[in-house]
Amino acid sequence: MKFSPISIEEYVKKHLKNNPSENGKDLRKRLQTALADYKRGVKCSCGNDIWVIGAATVGNSCFTCITGESDPNNDYEIESAIKKNNTAGRRHIDEIPPSEINGFFDDDGYEISTDLIQKPSLCITCVHNDNPQEEILCNLTRIDQKDAKEFICFGYKERK
């Protein structure tokens, strides 16, 4: 089983419902600090990624070190921590000379290789498939939905 994604705001609401004496503003700040640590690559002492929700309470440790369990079994984790991209071997925009910056970058500033953008089967039947004038928009749509369960394209026009 995996973590169940939840936003910081939704988690704070749920947590405060079960722990009414907790300070919501303080909890939110601790979650944001733990999430920032996670995004910077801070690891648990065992070497695993930290569990943001747990780290906000007990310090920068992973799920297993905090709970003693190896399987999250649908425990909550902040959604942007679950969606963390693998940045190994990818260039960050701050590391690229300005004259060489081109292409696509994710929200964290890491370069996205167009060779690795999967083309959903819907795209194969679209009139825009392999149209150089539509390639940028199509790639942006694919990048935006890479983790979605169902691919939806509002520019889709069936090839006749």
Side-chain angles (χ1 to χ4, degrees):
M1 294 247 175
K2 297 181 178 183
F3 285 113
S4 292
I6 192 168
S7 70
I8 287 179
E9 290 308 311
E10 283 299 311
Y11 180 76
V12 168
K13 285 179 193 175
K14 284 184 176 290
H15 186 85
L16 293 177
K17 184 177 180 181
N18 295 324
N19 303 280
S21 63
E22 179 89 43
N23 180 320
K25 186 176 180 180
D26 183 54
L27 174 61
R28 192 173 293 104
K29 183 178 177 183
R30 291 192 326 261
L31 286 165
Q32 290 169 339
T33 299
L35 182 59
D37 287 348
Y38 176 85
K39 287 184 175 185
R40 278 198 330 272
V42 172
K43 301 284 185 188
C44 176
S45 60
C46 73
N48 288 322
D49 286 335
I50 62 172
W51 176 34
V52 174
I53 287 176
T57 302
V58 300
N60 288 340
S61 296
C62 69
F63 180 83
T64 300
C65 289
I66 291 172
T67 66
E69 302 288 326
S70 59
D71 182 12
N73 198 21
N74 288 321
D75 281 294
Y76 290 114
E77 176 58 305
I78 303 304
E79 59 193 352
S80 58
I82 294 174
K83 295 178 182 178
K84 181 180 178 184
N85 294 324
N86 180 2
T87 59
R90 294 173 54 203
R91 298 187 306 170
H92 192 274
I93 195 165
D94 294 339
E95 301 166 350
I96 303 172
S99 62
E100 295 178 21
I101 295 175
N102 63 54
F104 301 104
F105 293 83
D106 66 18
D107 292 340
D108 294 322
Y110 288 94
E111 191 171 33
I112 298 171
S113 171
T114 54
D115 295 335
L116 300 177
I117 301 171
Q118 291 186 339
K119 188 180 278 191
S121 57
L122 183 69
C123 297
I124 307 300
T125 63
C126 181
V127 297
H128 301 301
N129 188 37
D130 296 326
N131 179 345
Q133 294 177 328
E134 298 291 330
E135 184 176 5
I136 291 174
L137 183 59
C138 290
N139 279 332
L140 288 171
T141 300
R142 292 178 196 129
I143 291 167
D144 184 52
Q145 297 186 53
K146 70 180 176 65
D147 294 324
K149 291 179 182 175
E150 181 182 357
F151 179 76
I152 299 170
C153 179
F154 294 104
Y156 175 78
K157 293 181 183 169
E158 187 175 2
R159 186 180 291 166
K160 305 244 179 196

